[in-house]
Amino acid sequence: MSHNTSVLSITLNPALDLTGQLEQLKIGKVNSITEANLHPAGKGVNVAKVLAELGAKVTVSGFLGLENASAFEHLFESQGINDEFIRVAGTTRTNVKIVEANGEVSDLNFPGFSVDAADIASFEQKLLELCQHHSYVVFAGSLAKGVSPEQLADWIRLAKAQGCTVLVDTSGAALAAAIKAQPSMIKPNQDELEELFQQQFSSVEAIKQACEDLAKQDIQHIVLSRGEQGSLWLHQQQWLQAQPPKMKVVSTVGAGDTFVASFCWGLLQQFNATEQLNFATAMSALAVAQANVGLPAAEELERVLQQTTITQH
Ligand SMILES: Nc1ncnc2c1ncn2[C@@H]1O[C@H](COP(=O)(O)OP(=O)(O)O)[C@@H](O)[C@H]1O
Ligand SMILES: O=P(O)(O)OC[C@H]1O[C@](O)(COP(=O)(O)O)[C@@H](O)[C@@H]1O
């Protein structure tokens, strides 16, 4: 089969997100949750869901625990997502998200299952096959225990060697290794950038300088996401800045994933740079106004697209 514009979204360490809402979290006390929700997630799964709802042809892969795969399988079936996850022994982790009435989120992200050499070999074989049928590959989220950062870098190189455009959203040692493999796009937030450079950035100028240093390593798109302050995007030595409107925050979980999915959609649709950043910003801003990731109503999207400002920086 020849290359097409379908997307392969890889989650090496997916999660069920257990989201609980309460008025205010009291650390070290008994906290009563008023509303709870459990749903299949993890960065690449969220990216896949948003892309599928936008209308992209999406395949998911990575590792999935055999013992609790059904919620994921149900999601993929209902969204028309092609499920190519490698099943591994054990359960997929559950991550806990505590959302307070003011929109503040506390994330408890757990380590997840371990994968062995046979799981890794099966995934690598699968990746090689899938890259031959997909133009875009997204690697998103943390690594399962047993997968080294260098392994991730090798898989990025493998996907690139098959002619795929590779987008990466990860952090820590995995991000540092991924950069060496020169993906097309990375999307650190400020904390992740500071961890990468092992230094604090006290000004936007310092952040931009760090991103410009990264761009010299031949990474086409560097997006620095900044929560409610939007983002800065470095592409072809030009900086664009996005500022979303003020949103009523329900939960910020999944905003980054929605940004990555929408940015990828912009590449697929060959939007111009301003359109692309506007779209990714409006979609991710709307993601914070809802509990889960997913497509907003068309009129809401139109309104936020118009309220988002894109400027040269
Ligand atoms: N409070 C918010 N209001 C409006 N948009 C937001 C808000 N939080 C996040 N976003 C949007 O989502 C994008 C990703 O959010 P961010 O928090 O930077 O990502 P991550 O969760 O990966 O750290 C931002 O660049 C912005 O477009
Ligand atoms: O793989 P990691 O880095 O542990 O992150 C997993 C968590 O990230 C999420 O995908 C949310 O990510 P964002 O808020 O950055 O979009 C959750 O669904 C999941 O629990």
Side-chain angles (χ1 to χ4, degrees), residues 13 15 17 41-43 46 93 95 97 109 141-142 252-257:
N13 194 16
D17 278 1
K43 290 196 162 52
N46 288 341
R93 66 188 168 149
N95 285 341
K97 316 276 156 178
N109 289 352
S142 56
T252 52
V253 180
D257 303 340

Side-chain angles (χ1 to χ4, degrees), residues 16 64-73 87-92 113:
L16 287 162
L64 201 55
L66 262 172
E67 283 171 29
N68 58 349
S70 63
F72 290 89
E73 288 162 354
R87 277 21 177 207
V88 299
T91 51
T92 295
F113 45 60

Side-chain angles (χ1 to χ4, degrees), residues 167-188:
L167 291 75
V168 174
D169 182 16
T170 188
S171 54
L175 176 61
I179 286 168
K180 294 202 181 105
Q182 301 169 316
S184 179
M185 184 257 198
I186 55 172
K187 187 215 73 64

Side-chain angles (χ1 to χ4, degrees), residues 53-288:
E53 290 190 6
L54 283 167
K57 205 163 167 287
V58 186
T59 298
V60 282
S61 191
F63 303 109
L64 201 55
L66 262 172
E67 283 171 29
N68 58 349
S70 63
F72 290 89
E73 288 162 354
H74 180 74
L75 170 74
F76 302 147
E77 204 180 317
S78 68
Q79 299 276 341
I81 293 171
N82 178 30
D83 173 9
E84 297 285 352
F85 267 99
I86 302 294
R87 277 21 177 207
V88 299
T91 51
T92 295
R93 66 188 168 149
T94 298
N95 285 341
V96 178
K97 316 276 156 178
I98 306 295
V99 183
E100 295 175 66
N102 64 2
E104 188 95 51
V105 180
S106 300
D107 286 288
L108 301 174
N109 289 352
F110 289 76
F113 45 60
S114 296
V115 298
D116 62 20
D119 299 325
I120 289 182
S122 304
F123 172 72
E124 193 160 309
Q125 180 60 36
K126 177 75 79 185
L127 180 65
L128 186 61
E129 283 164 27
L130 292 171
C131 283
Q132 288 159 26
H133 311 304
H134 295 81
S135 318
Y136 292 85
V137 180
V138 180
F139 286 92
S142 56
L143 306 180
K145 276 184 277 174
V147 178
S148 67
E150 292 68 34
Q151 185 72 76
L152 171 67
D154 284 347
W155 290 335
I156 294 168
R157 289 190 190 97
L158 181 154
K160 284 178 57 183
Q162 295 299 312
C164 300
T165 298
V166 180
L167 291 75
V168 174
D169 182 16
T170 188
S171 54
L175 176 61
I179 286 168
K180 294 202 181 105
Q182 301 169 316
S184 179
M185 184 257 198
I186 55 172
K187 187 215 73 64
N189 59 30
Q190 185 165 341
D191 287 346
E192 290 161 350
L193 193 75
E194 289 179 349
E195 191 182 354
L196 187 67
F197 280 82
Q198 303 269 291
Q199 71 181 85
Q200 306 271 309
F201 298 116
S202 52
S203 68
V204 171
E205 287 316 310
I207 290 172
K208 285 174 67 180
Q209 186 55 58
C211 292
E212 284 167 19
D213 289 346
L214 288 178
K216 287 186 195 130
Q217 300 185 43
D218 205 17
I219 299 171
Q220 265 186 291
H221 305 280
I222 298 178
V223 179
L224 194 282
S225 73
R226 308 170 72 212
E228 65 184 349
Q229 290 175 282
S231 59
L232 287 161
W233 174 21
L234 176 60
H235 177 52
Q236 292 179 342
Q237 297 170 346
Q238 301 279 337
W239 279 102
L240 283 184
Q241 179 175 32
Q243 178 61 59
K246 183 142 191 59
M247 303 300 291
K248 191 169 176 324
V249 180
V250 174
S251 164
T252 52
V253 180
D257 303 340
T258 304
F259 187 100
V260 172
S262 309
F263 188 93
C264 184
W265 178 250
L267 293 176
L268 245 77
Q269 299 293 305
Q270 300 184 326
F271 287 171
N272 69 40
T274 302
E275 270 177 337
Q276 181 165 335
L277 188 58
N278 197 16
F279 183 71
T281 304
M283 284 285 291
S284 53
L286 280 159
V288 307

